[in-house]
Amino acid sequence: DKTANTADFLATMAHEAAHLYYFRIANGAKAPSWYAEGMATQFEGFRWTGSKWAYDRLSRTRMPFVRQAADQGRLLPLDQLVAGDALALINTDSEKALLFYAESWALVYFLTQTDRDDCREAFRKYCDAVDSGKQAALSDFFPDLKALHADFVKFVKRM
């Protein structure tokens, strides 16, 4: 616990536990880094209701960061994001690593929460492919990554 902040510590533990759980239930999966981190970061999103912790998948520490990056035009293009490697970024460019984690979270959140049924369905199919061990590219399910990126940026700016 580097921050002495209970909520941050619990968020980190939930994030890492999500990785362990995913590995156990989908141990044959070939999850790319953005997907693994985006899914695990969903578990950082919880809040105290007054009587219990409730998950809502909103990463309150990452949301302002990704929103600011969107407002400043600094989001990674999706082709770069999905090709990224979290560990390599942590070891070489900590600022870009923070953006990678925040944007990975936001992309997963967008693809699961968008009001576009076609996006949610395409992402569900992508998840099924990855989770079953297939080498799936996001572009196989979203052929126009630039258009998806434009919709994603609009979504992030409205969060």
PDB file of all heavy atoms in Angstrom, residues 60-94:
ATOM      1  N   ARG A  60     -12.928   5.672 -10.771  1.00  0.00           N
ATOM      2  CA  ARG A  60     -12.942   7.092 -10.436  1.00  0.00           C
ATOM      3  C   ARG A  60     -11.556   7.728 -10.474  1.00  0.00           C
ATOM      4  O   ARG A  60     -11.443   8.933 -10.610  1.00  0.00           O
ATOM      5  CB  ARG A  60     -13.604   7.292  -9.082  1.00  0.00           C
ATOM      6  CG  ARG A  60     -15.105   7.130  -9.195  1.00  0.00           C
ATOM      7  CD  ARG A  60     -15.770   6.764  -7.878  1.00  0.00           C
ATOM      8  NE  ARG A  60     -17.197   6.532  -8.083  1.00  0.00           N
ATOM      9  CZ  ARG A  60     -17.706   5.388  -8.529  1.00  0.00           C
ATOM     10  NH1 ARG A  60     -16.910   4.385  -8.828  1.00  0.00           N
ATOM     11  NH2 ARG A  60     -18.995   5.247  -8.688  1.00  0.00           N
ATOM     12  N   THR A  61     -10.513   6.925 -10.379  1.00  0.00           N
ATOM     13  CA  THR A  61      -9.161   7.476 -10.493  1.00  0.00           C
ATOM     14  C   THR A  61      -8.736   7.598 -11.952  1.00  0.00           C
ATOM     15  O   THR A  61      -7.965   8.482 -12.300  1.00  0.00           O
ATOM     16  CB  THR A  61      -8.135   6.620  -9.737  1.00  0.00           C
ATOM     17  OG1 THR A  61      -8.184   5.285 -10.240  1.00  0.00           O
ATOM     18  CG2 THR A  61      -8.412   6.630  -8.251  1.00  0.00           C
ATOM     19  N   ARG A  62      -9.241   6.737 -12.802  1.00  0.00           N
ATOM     20  CA  ARG A  62      -8.818   6.757 -14.213  1.00  0.00           C
ATOM     21  C   ARG A  62      -9.709   7.633 -15.084  1.00  0.00           C
ATOM     22  O   ARG A  62      -9.272   8.152 -16.103  1.00  0.00           O
ATOM     23  CB  ARG A  62      -8.785   5.337 -14.746  1.00  0.00           C
ATOM     24  CG  ARG A  62      -7.862   4.463 -13.874  1.00  0.00           C
ATOM     25  CD  ARG A  62      -7.282   3.333 -14.617  1.00  0.00           C
ATOM     26  NE  ARG A  62      -6.686   2.357 -13.731  1.00  0.00           N
ATOM     27  CZ  ARG A  62      -5.375   2.224 -13.547  1.00  0.00           C
ATOM     28  NH1 ARG A  62      -4.537   3.031 -14.152  1.00  0.00           N
ATOM     29  NH2 ARG A  62      -4.907   1.289 -12.751  1.00  0.00           N
ATOM     30  N   MET A  63     -10.965   7.792 -14.683  1.00  0.00           N
ATOM     31  CA  MET A  63     -11.903   8.560 -15.514  1.00  0.00           C
ATOM     32  C   MET A  63     -11.442   9.992 -15.766  1.00  0.00           C
ATOM     33  O   MET A  63     -11.426  10.428 -16.918  1.00  0.00           O
ATOM     34  CB  MET A  63     -13.313   8.542 -14.923  1.00  0.00           C
ATOM     35  CG  MET A  63     -14.307   9.168 -15.871  1.00  0.00           C
ATOM     36  SD  MET A  63     -16.053   9.178 -15.377  1.00  0.00           S
ATOM     37  CE  MET A  63     -16.162   8.314 -13.887  1.00  0.00           C
ATOM     38  N   PRO A  64     -11.046  10.758 -14.760  1.00  0.00           N
ATOM     39  CA  PRO A  64     -10.616  12.132 -15.049  1.00  0.00           C
ATOM     40  C   PRO A  64      -9.385  12.182 -15.948  1.00  0.00           C
ATOM     41  O   PRO A  64      -9.259  13.059 -16.804  1.00  0.00           O
ATOM     42  CB  PRO A  64     -10.293  12.719 -13.668  1.00  0.00           C
ATOM     43  CG  PRO A  64     -10.902  11.807 -12.678  1.00  0.00           C
ATOM     44  CD  PRO A  64     -11.048  10.465 -13.330  1.00  0.00           C
ATOM     45  N   PHE A  65      -8.490  11.220 -15.775  1.00  0.00           N
ATOM     46  CA  PHE A  65      -7.271  11.167 -16.574  1.00  0.00           C
ATOM     47  C   PHE A  65      -7.584  10.933 -18.049  1.00  0.00           C
ATOM     48  O   PHE A  65      -7.070  11.626 -18.928  1.00  0.00           O
ATOM     49  CB  PHE A  65      -6.353  10.061 -16.029  1.00  0.00           C
ATOM     50  CG  PHE A  65      -4.989  10.058 -16.615  1.00  0.00           C
ATOM     51  CD1 PHE A  65      -4.043  10.988 -16.215  1.00  0.00           C
ATOM     52  CD2 PHE A  65      -4.644   9.126 -17.574  1.00  0.00           C
ATOM     53  CE1 PHE A  65      -2.767  10.987 -16.763  1.00  0.00           C
ATOM     54  CE2 PHE A  65      -3.378   9.109 -18.130  1.00  0.00           C
ATOM     55  CZ  PHE A  65      -2.432  10.043 -17.711  1.00  0.00           C
ATOM     56  N   VAL A  66      -8.456   9.968 -18.326  1.00  0.00           N
ATOM     57  CA  VAL A  66      -8.789   9.660 -19.723  1.00  0.00           C
ATOM     58  C   VAL A  66      -9.643  10.774 -20.325  1.00  0.00           C
ATOM     59  O   VAL A  66      -9.509  11.107 -21.503  1.00  0.00           O
ATOM     60  CB  VAL A  66      -9.438   8.260 -19.863  1.00  0.00           C
ATOM     61  CG1 VAL A  66     -10.877   8.244 -19.405  1.00  0.00           C
ATOM     62  CG2 VAL A  66      -9.330   7.746 -21.284  1.00  0.00           C
ATOM     63  N   ARG A  67     -10.490  11.375 -19.523  1.00  0.00           N
ATOM     64  CA  ARG A  67     -11.320  12.483 -20.010  1.00  0.00           C
ATOM     65  C   ARG A  67     -10.439  13.674 -20.397  1.00  0.00           C
ATOM     66  O   ARG A  67     -10.643  14.295 -21.439  1.00  0.00           O
ATOM     67  CB  ARG A  67     -12.327  12.883 -18.941  1.00  0.00           C
ATOM     68  CG  ARG A  67     -13.525  13.597 -19.522  1.00  0.00           C
ATOM     69  CD  ARG A  67     -14.498  14.046 -18.468  1.00  0.00           C
ATOM     70  NE  ARG A  67     -15.170  12.954 -17.808  1.00  0.00           N
ATOM     71  CZ  ARG A  67     -15.648  13.006 -16.572  1.00  0.00           C
ATOM     72  NH1 ARG A  67     -15.534  14.085 -15.840  1.00  0.00           N
ATOM     73  NH2 ARG A  67     -16.265  11.970 -16.055  1.00  0.00           N
ATOM     74  N   GLN A  68      -9.467  13.990 -19.562  1.00  0.00           N
ATOM     75  CA  GLN A  68      -8.552  15.089 -19.864  1.00  0.00           C
ATOM     76  C   GLN A  68      -7.748  14.791 -21.129  1.00  0.00           C
ATOM     77  O   GLN A  68      -7.567  15.667 -21.979  1.00  0.00           O
ATOM     78  CB  GLN A  68      -7.603  15.332 -18.688  1.00  0.00           C
ATOM     79  CG  GLN A  68      -6.640  16.477 -18.927  1.00  0.00           C
ATOM     80  CD  GLN A  68      -5.671  16.664 -17.783  1.00  0.00           C
ATOM     81  OE1 GLN A  68      -5.183  15.691 -17.205  1.00  0.00           O
ATOM     82  NE2 GLN A  68      -5.393  17.911 -17.451  1.00  0.00           N
ATOM     83  N   ALA A  69      -7.283  13.563 -21.270  1.00  0.00           N
ATOM     84  CA  ALA A  69      -6.536  13.182 -22.471  1.00  0.00           C
ATOM     85  C   ALA A  69      -7.407  13.332 -23.714  1.00  0.00           C
ATOM     86  O   ALA A  69      -6.941  13.785 -24.756  1.00  0.00           O
ATOM     87  CB  ALA A  69      -6.024  11.749 -22.344  1.00  0.00           C
ATOM     88  N   ALA A  70      -8.683  12.973 -23.613  1.00  0.00           N
ATOM     89  CA  ALA A  70      -9.601  13.125 -24.753  1.00  0.00           C
ATOM     90  C   ALA A  70      -9.790  14.600 -25.084  1.00  0.00           C
ATOM     91  O   ALA A  70      -9.743  14.989 -26.251  1.00  0.00           O
ATOM     92  CB  ALA A  70     -10.944  12.466 -24.448  1.00  0.00           C
ATOM     93  N   ASP A  71      -9.986  15.423 -24.049  1.00  0.00           N
ATOM     94  CA  ASP A  71     -10.177  16.855 -24.275  1.00  0.00           C
ATOM     95  C   ASP A  71      -8.950  17.503 -24.911  1.00  0.00           C
ATOM     96  O   ASP A  71      -9.071  18.445 -25.693  1.00  0.00           O
ATOM     97  CB  ASP A  71     -10.504  17.573 -22.954  1.00  0.00           C
ATOM     98  CG  ASP A  71     -11.898  17.257 -22.446  1.00  0.00           C
ATOM     99  OD1 ASP A  71     -12.744  16.798 -23.248  1.00  0.00           O
ATOM    100  OD2 ASP A  71     -12.133  17.452 -21.236  1.00  0.00           O
ATOM    101  N   GLN A  72      -7.775  16.988 -24.590  1.00  0.00           N
ATOM    102  CA  GLN A  72      -6.530  17.538 -25.117  1.00  0.00           C
ATOM    103  C   GLN A  72      -6.067  16.855 -26.403  1.00  0.00           C
ATOM    104  O   GLN A  72      -5.005  17.176 -26.929  1.00  0.00           O
ATOM    105  CB  GLN A  72      -5.428  17.429 -24.059  1.00  0.00           C
ATOM    106  CG  GLN A  72      -5.687  18.265 -22.834  1.00  0.00           C
ATOM    107  CD  GLN A  72      -4.680  18.010 -21.731  1.00  0.00           C
ATOM    108  OE1 GLN A  72      -3.889  17.063 -21.770  1.00  0.00           O
ATOM    109  NE2 GLN A  72      -4.705  18.857 -20.716  1.00  0.00           N
ATOM    110  N   GLY A  73      -6.855  15.893 -26.900  1.00  0.00           N
ATOM    111  CA  GLY A  73      -6.489  15.182 -28.130  1.00  0.00           C
ATOM    112  C   GLY A  73      -5.287  14.272 -27.961  1.00  0.00           C
ATOM    113  O   GLY A  73      -4.566  14.013 -28.922  1.00  0.00           O
ATOM    114  N   ARG A  74      -5.069  13.746 -26.744  1.00  0.00           N
ATOM    115  CA  ARG A  74      -3.907  12.900 -26.464  1.00  0.00           C
ATOM    116  C   ARG A  74      -4.221  11.417 -26.381  1.00  0.00           C
ATOM    117  O   ARG A  74      -3.341  10.625 -26.049  1.00  0.00           O
ATOM    118  CB  ARG A  74      -3.245  13.327 -25.145  1.00  0.00           C
ATOM    119  CG  ARG A  74      -2.624  14.674 -25.140  1.00  0.00           C
ATOM    120  CD  ARG A  74      -1.857  14.972 -23.844  1.00  0.00           C
ATOM    121  NE  ARG A  74      -2.687  14.876 -22.646  1.00  0.00           N
ATOM    122  CZ  ARG A  74      -2.601  13.903 -21.732  1.00  0.00           C
ATOM    123  NH1 ARG A  74      -1.748  12.932 -21.862  1.00  0.00           N
ATOM    124  NH2 ARG A  74      -3.394  13.900 -20.668  1.00  0.00           N
ATOM    125  N   LEU A  75      -5.449  11.011 -26.644  1.00  0.00           N
ATOM    126  CA  LEU A  75      -5.752   9.575 -26.580  1.00  0.00           C
ATOM    127  C   LEU A  75      -4.954   8.833 -27.639  1.00  0.00           C
ATOM    128  O   LEU A  75      -4.736   9.326 -28.745  1.00  0.00           O
ATOM    129  CB  LEU A  75      -7.243   9.327 -26.797  1.00  0.00           C
ATOM    130  CG  LEU A  75      -8.174   9.746 -25.671  1.00  0.00           C
ATOM    131  CD1 LEU A  75      -9.620   9.469 -26.055  1.00  0.00           C
ATOM    132  CD2 LEU A  75      -7.824   9.046 -24.371  1.00  0.00           C
ATOM    133  N   LEU A  76      -4.539   7.640 -27.282  1.00  0.00           N
ATOM    134  CA  LEU A  76      -3.840   6.793 -28.243  1.00  0.00           C
ATOM    135  C   LEU A  76      -4.822   6.358 -29.326  1.00  0.00           C
ATOM    136  O   LEU A  76      -5.955   5.977 -29.006  1.00  0.00           O
ATOM    137  CB  LEU A  76      -3.289   5.550 -27.548  1.00  0.00           C
ATOM    138  CG  LEU A  76      -2.299   5.775 -26.410  1.00  0.00           C
ATOM    139  CD1 LEU A  76      -2.064   4.483 -25.645  1.00  0.00           C
ATOM    140  CD2 LEU A  76      -0.999   6.318 -26.958  1.00  0.00           C
ATOM    141  N   PRO A  77      -4.427   6.388 -30.586  1.00  0.00           N
ATOM    142  CA  PRO A  77      -5.299   5.799 -31.614  1.00  0.00           C
ATOM    143  C   PRO A  77      -5.533   4.327 -31.285  1.00  0.00           C
ATOM    144  O   PRO A  77      -4.651   3.670 -30.712  1.00  0.00           O
ATOM    145  CB  PRO A  77      -4.482   5.955 -32.902  1.00  0.00           C
ATOM    146  CG  PRO A  77      -3.498   7.039 -32.613  1.00  0.00           C
ATOM    147  CD  PRO A  77      -3.197   6.937 -31.136  1.00  0.00           C
ATOM    148  N   LEU A  78      -6.700   3.815 -31.618  1.00  0.00           N
ATOM    149  CA  LEU A  78      -7.045   2.447 -31.209  1.00  0.00           C
ATOM    150  C   LEU A  78      -6.070   1.405 -31.743  1.00  0.00           C
ATOM    151  O   LEU A  78      -5.783   0.426 -31.053  1.00  0.00           O
ATOM    152  CB  LEU A  78      -8.476   2.109 -31.618  1.00  0.00           C
ATOM    153  CG  LEU A  78      -9.563   2.847 -30.853  1.00  0.00           C
ATOM    154  CD1 LEU A  78     -10.938   2.335 -31.243  1.00  0.00           C
ATOM    155  CD2 LEU A  78      -9.368   2.752 -29.355  1.00  0.00           C
ATOM    156  N   ASP A  79      -5.547   1.602 -32.951  1.00  0.00           N
ATOM    157  CA  ASP A  79      -4.600   0.610 -33.463  1.00  0.00           C
ATOM    158  C   ASP A  79      -3.346   0.561 -32.590  1.00  0.00           C
ATOM    159  O   ASP A  79      -2.779  -0.510 -32.373  1.00  0.00           O
ATOM    160  CB  ASP A  79      -4.263   0.845 -34.933  1.00  0.00           C
ATOM    161  CG  ASP A  79      -3.632   2.195 -35.212  1.00  0.00           C
ATOM    162  OD1 ASP A  79      -3.832   3.154 -34.424  1.00  0.00           O
ATOM    163  OD2 ASP A  79      -2.941   2.312 -36.246  1.00  0.00           O
ATOM    164  N   GLN A  80      -2.917   1.702 -32.036  1.00  0.00           N
ATOM    165  CA  GLN A  80      -1.767   1.720 -31.127  1.00  0.00           C
ATOM    166  C   GLN A  80      -2.130   1.158 -29.760  1.00  0.00           C
ATOM    167  O   GLN A  80      -1.349   0.428 -29.149  1.00  0.00           O
ATOM    168  CB  GLN A  80      -1.229   3.135 -30.970  1.00  0.00           C
ATOM    169  CG  GLN A  80      -0.532   3.660 -32.194  1.00  0.00           C
ATOM    170  CD  GLN A  80      -0.025   5.087 -31.979  1.00  0.00           C
ATOM    171  OE1 GLN A  80       0.222   5.510 -30.855  1.00  0.00           O
ATOM    172  NE2 GLN A  80       0.107   5.815 -33.065  1.00  0.00           N
ATOM    173  N   LEU A  81      -3.318   1.506 -29.278  1.00  0.00           N
ATOM    174  CA  LEU A  81      -3.753   1.002 -27.974  1.00  0.00           C
ATOM    175  C   LEU A  81      -3.801  -0.515 -27.977  1.00  0.00           C
ATOM    176  O   LEU A  81      -3.254  -1.163 -27.080  1.00  0.00           O
ATOM    177  CB  LEU A  81      -5.124   1.568 -27.597  1.00  0.00           C
ATOM    178  CG  LEU A  81      -5.684   1.073 -26.266  1.00  0.00           C
ATOM    179  CD1 LEU A  81      -4.893   1.652 -25.095  1.00  0.00           C
ATOM    180  CD2 LEU A  81      -7.160   1.422 -26.149  1.00  0.00           C
ATOM    181  N   VAL A  82      -4.462  -1.103 -28.966  1.00  0.00           N
ATOM    182  CA  VAL A  82      -4.643  -2.561 -28.966  1.00  0.00           C
ATOM    183  C   VAL A  82      -3.339  -3.305 -29.249  1.00  0.00           C
ATOM    184  O   VAL A  82      -3.244  -4.496 -28.966  1.00  0.00           O
ATOM    185  CB  VAL A  82      -5.772  -3.016 -29.924  1.00  0.00           C
ATOM    186  CG1 VAL A  82      -7.096  -2.378 -29.527  1.00  0.00           C
ATOM    187  CG2 VAL A  82      -5.451  -2.716 -31.374  1.00  0.00           C
ATOM    188  N   ALA A  83      -2.335  -2.604 -29.766  1.00  0.00           N
ATOM    189  CA  ALA A  83      -1.027  -3.221 -29.987  1.00  0.00           C
ATOM    190  C   ALA A  83      -0.089  -3.005 -28.802  1.00  0.00           C
ATOM    191  O   ALA A  83       1.004  -3.578 -28.765  1.00  0.00           O
ATOM    192  CB  ALA A  83      -0.389  -2.658 -31.257  1.00  0.00           C
ATOM    193  N   GLY A  84      -0.517  -2.201 -27.840  1.00  0.00           N
ATOM    194  CA  GLY A  84       0.339  -1.833 -26.717  1.00  0.00           C
ATOM    195  C   GLY A  84       0.580  -2.969 -25.738  1.00  0.00           C
ATOM    196  O   GLY A  84      -0.150  -3.955 -25.700  1.00  0.00           O
ATOM    197  N   ASP A  85       1.619  -2.788 -24.933  1.00  0.00           N
ATOM    198  CA  ASP A  85       1.989  -3.759 -23.912  1.00  0.00           C
ATOM    199  C   ASP A  85       2.198  -3.005 -22.600  1.00  0.00           C
ATOM    200  O   ASP A  85       3.122  -2.198 -22.481  1.00  0.00           O
ATOM    201  CB  ASP A  85       3.270  -4.476 -24.322  1.00  0.00           C
ATOM    202  CG  ASP A  85       3.696  -5.524 -23.316  1.00  0.00           C
ATOM    203  OD1 ASP A  85       4.015  -5.155 -22.167  1.00  0.00           O
ATOM    204  OD2 ASP A  85       3.721  -6.716 -23.680  1.00  0.00           O
ATOM    205  N   ALA A  86       1.341  -3.277 -21.624  1.00  0.00           N
ATOM    206  CA  ALA A  86       1.377  -2.549 -20.349  1.00  0.00           C
ATOM    207  C   ALA A  86       2.732  -2.650 -19.677  1.00  0.00           C
ATOM    208  O   ALA A  86       3.284  -1.638 -19.228  1.00  0.00           O
ATOM    209  CB  ALA A  86       0.273  -3.060 -19.424  1.00  0.00           C
ATOM    210  N   LEU A  87       3.283  -3.833 -19.591  1.00  0.00           N
ATOM    211  CA  LEU A  87       4.560  -4.009 -18.892  1.00  0.00           C
ATOM    212  C   LEU A  87       5.681  -3.242 -19.582  1.00  0.00           C
ATOM    213  O   LEU A  87       6.494  -2.586 -18.922  1.00  0.00           O
ATOM    214  CB  LEU A  87       4.909  -5.490 -18.763  1.00  0.00           C
ATOM    215  CG  LEU A  87       6.156  -5.802 -17.940  1.00  0.00           C
ATOM    216  CD1 LEU A  87       6.044  -5.222 -16.525  1.00  0.00           C
ATOM    217  CD2 LEU A  87       6.377  -7.303 -17.880  1.00  0.00           C
ATOM    218  N   ALA A  88       5.725  -3.303 -20.894  1.00  0.00           N
ATOM    219  CA  ALA A  88       6.753  -2.564 -21.626  1.00  0.00           C
ATOM    220  C   ALA A  88       6.613  -1.061 -21.378  1.00  0.00           C
ATOM    221  O   ALA A  88       7.612  -0.360 -21.185  1.00  0.00           O
ATOM    222  CB  ALA A  88       6.667  -2.871 -23.123  1.00  0.00           C
ATOM    223  N   LEU A  89       5.379  -0.578 -21.352  1.00  0.00           N
ATOM    224  CA  LEU A  89       5.160   0.851 -21.097  1.00  0.00           C
ATOM    225  C   LEU A  89       5.545   1.228 -19.667  1.00  0.00           C
ATOM    226  O   LEU A  89       6.140   2.288 -19.442  1.00  0.00           O
ATOM    227  CB  LEU A  89       3.710   1.219 -21.371  1.00  0.00           C
ATOM    228  CG  LEU A  89       3.301   1.222 -22.839  1.00  0.00           C
ATOM    229  CD1 LEU A  89       1.796   1.373 -22.974  1.00  0.00           C
ATOM    230  CD2 LEU A  89       4.029   2.323 -23.599  1.00  0.00           C
ATOM    231  N   ILE A  90       5.219   0.395 -18.707  1.00  0.00           N
ATOM    232  CA  ILE A  90       5.588   0.662 -17.313  1.00  0.00           C
ATOM    233  C   ILE A  90       7.105   0.810 -17.202  1.00  0.00           C
ATOM    234  O   ILE A  90       7.611   1.674 -16.489  1.00  0.00           O
ATOM    235  CB  ILE A  90       5.068  -0.449 -16.384  1.00  0.00           C
ATOM    236  CG1 ILE A  90       3.548  -0.346 -16.243  1.00  0.00           C
ATOM    237  CG2 ILE A  90       5.746  -0.396 -15.017  1.00  0.00           C
ATOM    238  CD1 ILE A  90       2.905  -1.545 -15.583  1.00  0.00           C
ATOM    239  N   ASN A  91       7.825  -0.034 -17.930  1.00  0.00           N
ATOM    240  CA  ASN A  91       9.286  -0.024 -17.853  1.00  0.00           C
ATOM    241  C   ASN A  91       9.947   1.073 -18.677  1.00  0.00           C
ATOM    242  O   ASN A  91      11.136   1.342 -18.477  1.00  0.00           O
ATOM    243  CB  ASN A  91       9.838  -1.388 -18.284  1.00  0.00           C
ATOM    244  CG  ASN A  91       9.515  -2.465 -17.269  1.00  0.00           C
ATOM    245  OD1 ASN A  91       9.472  -2.203 -16.072  1.00  0.00           O
ATOM    246  ND2 ASN A  91       9.281  -3.674 -17.742  1.00  0.00           N
ATOM    247  N   THR A  92       9.207   1.693 -19.595  1.00  0.00           N
ATOM    248  CA  THR A  92       9.843   2.684 -20.475  1.00  0.00           C
ATOM    249  C   THR A  92       9.226   4.071 -20.419  1.00  0.00           C
ATOM    250  O   THR A  92       9.923   5.058 -20.658  1.00  0.00           O
ATOM    251  CB  THR A  92       9.805   2.212 -21.943  1.00  0.00           C
ATOM    252  OG1 THR A  92       8.444   2.043 -22.346  1.00  0.00           O
ATOM    253  CG2 THR A  92      10.580   0.921 -22.139  1.00  0.00           C
ATOM    254  N   ASP A  93       7.925   4.164 -20.164  1.00  0.00           N
ATOM    255  CA  ASP A  93       7.246   5.458 -20.244  1.00  0.00           C
ATOM    256  C   ASP A  93       6.057   5.458 -19.292  1.00  0.00           C
ATOM    257  O   ASP A  93       4.946   5.113 -19.680  1.00  0.00           O
ATOM    258  CB  ASP A  93       6.799   5.704 -21.688  1.00  0.00           C
ATOM    259  CG  ASP A  93       6.246   7.092 -21.932  1.00  0.00           C
ATOM    260  OD1 ASP A  93       5.851   7.784 -20.965  1.00  0.00           O
ATOM    261  OD2 ASP A  93       6.194   7.501 -23.120  1.00  0.00           O
ATOM    262  N   SER A  94       6.297   5.853 -18.051  1.00  0.00           N
ATOM    263  CA  SER A  94       5.254   5.743 -17.028  1.00  0.00           C
ATOM    264  C   SER A  94       4.037   6.608 -17.354  1.00  0.00           C
ATOM    265  O   SER A  94       2.912   6.216 -17.059  1.00  0.00           O
ATOM    266  CB  SER A  94       5.806   6.090 -15.652  1.00  0.00           C
ATOM    267  OG  SER A  94       6.293   7.418 -15.636  1.00  0.00           O
TER     268      SER A  94
END
